[in-house]
Amino acid sequence: MNTHPHWLARGVGSAALTPAVMVLLAGLTLWSLGQSGAAGNKDLPTIVVLTLAAVAAGCAALAWVRPQRVGLSPPQVMLSLGFGGMLLGLLYDVGQAGPARLDSLCAQATSLGFVDSLRLHFEFLPGMHAGMLAGGLLAIPGLRLLRPHCGRYLCSLFAQNLLCSGWMLIGMTAGALWFSRWQLSGTSTLPGMLGGMFVGMTWGMVLSVALYRGYFTLRNRV
């Protein structure tokens, strides 16, 4: 059986290039929305720098937790597709609601708990969440194309894919809550909330991968 990586995995699927593109897109998105006239723009450079540093650190942590010799590891493929779907869904939400209405989400979320905030995010940002989940699920056929020799537990288990998506979803909400409540000016902003979602999604995937790799390591020892 041919075990050489697919040409897409050797070319486009670079473990250095793909995270760099993700970080760049996140920065451009936050900067563009921050110029829309929302309050608290004086914090924008700090929000962008912190977000990009945290996302880049998450990508590095994911590469360390799940190393790959050539191209992208399966979790990196899922994170990349989920991130792309998230950004496309965000474009839809901004087009439908506009930055001003989404800014009101930030003000409301600061006084809510996790579950209520998650419900509010689903209501205000349906495209963003649907895009992230859809992008993550696309990793299943995508991984079969890129790595037909992959292990069964990483490439074909639908439940495992949903588990990773669930952790990314939890991370998005948790990150949004933390970032939206932490602002230098004391005013919650849309870039701050979205920056937290980008960071939370990335580290949610890191936590998910660390947990299931730890589980398999412990099971093999037992």
Side-chain angles (χ1 to χ4, degrees):
M1 182 176 65
N2 182 19
T3 60
H4 293 290
H6 193 276
W7 68 269
L8 282 174
R10 298 194 306 268
V12 178
S14 167
L17 176 61
T18 303
V21 172
M22 287 174 49
V23 171
L24 176 62
L25 290 176
L28 291 175
T29 300
L30 296 181
W31 191 263
S32 299
L33 290 175
Q35 301 302 317
S36 64
N41 279 348
K42 64 181 181 180
D43 292 344
L44 183 60
T46 302
I47 292 172
V48 172
V49 170
L50 288 177
T51 298
L52 300 192
V55 171
C59 292
L62 185 60
W64 179 76
V65 172
R66 176 59 172 88
Q68 185 75 26
R69 290 183 179 180
V70 179
L72 296 175
S73 66
Q76 288 174 322
V77 172
M78 183 177 180
L79 177 62
S80 301
L81 292 175
F83 208 93
M86 180 183 183
L87 291 178
L88 291 176
L90 176 61
L91 289 177
Y92 170 82
D93 292 330
V94 172
Q96 293 294 311
R101 184 168 184 261
L102 295 182
D103 268 328
S104 66
L105 169 62
C106 306
Q108 297 179 56
T110 55
S111 60
L112 298 177
F114 180 86
V115 175
D116 291 332
S117 180
L118 178 62
R119 186 181 302 112
L120 192 66
H121 287 165
F122 274 129
E123 178 183 350
F124 276 73
L125 298 166
M128 190 176 186
H129 290 83
M132 186 277 288
L133 293 173
L137 291 177
L138 282 176
I140 296 177
L143 286 169
R144 280 303 186 188
L145 172 65
L146 294 176
R147 305 189 182 282
H149 59 284
C150 248
R152 174 178 64 87
Y153 70 100
L154 282 178
C155 293
S156 61
L157 283 184
F158 185 71
Q160 179 64 59
N161 191 281
L162 287 179
L163 182 62
C164 289
S165 295
W167 277 107
M168 287 195 292
L169 182 63
I170 292 173
M172 285 171 61
T173 304
L177 284 175
W178 185 76
F179 253 55
S180 64
R181 294 175 182 179
W182 178 87
Q183 303 285 323
L184 294 181
S185 63
T187 303
S188 181
T189 64
L190 179 58
M193 184 194 71
L194 293 178
M197 296 183 88
F198 294 156
V199 173
M201 174 184 175
T202 305
W203 282 96
M205 173 60 79
V206 175
L207 179 59
S208 175
V209 173
L211 287 175
Y212 76 65
R213 285 184 68 83
Y215 166 76
F216 283 113
T217 299
L218 181 61
R219 190 185 68 173
N220 292 336
R221 288 180 181 177
V222 174

